[in-house]
Amino acid sequence: METNKVKVEVADPTTLGLFGLAIVTLVASSQKLGITEGAGLLVPWALFLGGFTQLIASMFDFKHNNLFGATAFGAYGMFWIGMAWGWMTNAGVFGENLAGSVDSNQLGFVFAGYGILSLVLTISTIKMNKAMFVLMSLIVLLFLFLSLSTFCTAHIWHYAAAYVELAISIVTFYVLAAKYLSGFFGRNMLPVGKPLCIS
């Protein structure tokens, strides 16, 4: 009996995952900066673009054998789903008893853990390009500032996190454009810089 192997080709999901990250950090930073208020319309973007879109990108990156993309999009996708769930918990969606038992310090430990993961991922970007290194370095800073804003009472860390989150959105849109346009036209359209380490 003859067995035929069929290889299913899938497009690179990176730009979709980057778009999810760019949008959700843009909206979240607007709320932290006081440009917008509340989390009512932040929740759906956190769930669907920040969460599910990055999870879809993660699953297809596993098929591409892209360990970095699969890990980053998967971890950050679950982060935004968790954040959306937390905002709904605070709003009493799951009952007043659960909302009343919230301890924000637990979220601080989550931020710290994600900061450690982000640092590990940042180290690997030295073999990618400078744009990705900058993006991941900003994400490390974001989780550091979010942790400090949770554990400390000084508002400076909250605003520092807000501005860094806005910077993440802007840099992510740039990386997205560079990746998409280069793939579409078959040549480098926007510079992303050479890897910091080529060995």
Side-chain angles (χ1 to χ4, degrees):
M1 181 177 178
E2 185 177 344
T3 303
N4 294 321
K5 291 185 178 180
V6 178
K7 184 178 180 181
V8 178
E9 294 284 349
V10 295
D12 187 347
T14 302
T15 51
L16 178 64
L18 288 172
F19 180 67
L21 177 62
I23 285 292
V24 73
T25 50
L26 180 63
V27 178
S29 65
S30 76
Q31 193 254 8
K32 287 185 180 70
L33 290 169
I35 300 170
T36 62
E37 294 182 1
L41 290 179
L42 184 53
V43 168
W45 299 110
L47 278 175
F48 294 104
L49 270 176
F52 297 143
T53 298
Q54 290 196 79
L55 287 180
I56 292 169
S58 172
M59 288 186 288
F60 281 109
D61 263 337
F62 275 116
K63 290 181 68 68
H64 276 262
N65 198 27
N66 180 354
L67 182 60
F68 175 86
T71 304
F73 286 136
Y76 296 137
M78 292 304 295
F79 170 81
W80 285 108
I81 290 173
M83 288 301 299
W85 198 276
W87 290 324
M88 289 188 289
T89 299
N90 278 332
V93 172
F94 306 112
E96 293 303 320
N97 288 337
L98 192 59
S101 66
V102 168
D103 183 348
S104 62
N105 285 331
Q106 293 172 344
L107 192 56
F109 284 105
V110 171
F111 293 147
Y114 265 92
I116 294 170
L117 171 67
S118 300
L119 180 59
V120 172
L121 293 174
T122 301
I123 294 170
S124 67
T125 61
I126 64 174
K127 297 190 71 173
M128 295 181 190
N129 57 63
K130 290 184 177 69
M132 279 302 300
F133 179 78
V134 169
L135 175 58
M136 289 305 307
S137 297
L138 287 170
I139 292 175
V140 171
L141 279 178
L142 173 63
F143 283 117
L144 172 62
F145 294 152
L146 287 174
S147 296
L148 290 171
S149 71
T150 303
F151 292 128
C152 304
T153 57
H155 290 291
I156 186 174
W157 303 119
H158 175 83
Y159 288 110
Y163 284 109
V164 170
E165 196 166 36
L166 179 59
I168 288 170
S169 178
I170 293 168
V171 173
T172 303
F173 273 118
Y174 180 85
V175 174
L176 181 161
K179 179 77 173 175
Y180 176 81
L181 293 174
S182 296
F184 189 84
F185 289 103
R187 59 190 178 90
N188 290 332
M189 301 296 291
L190 293 172
V192 291
K194 294 181 180 179
L196 295 172
C197 175
I198 57 175
S199 61

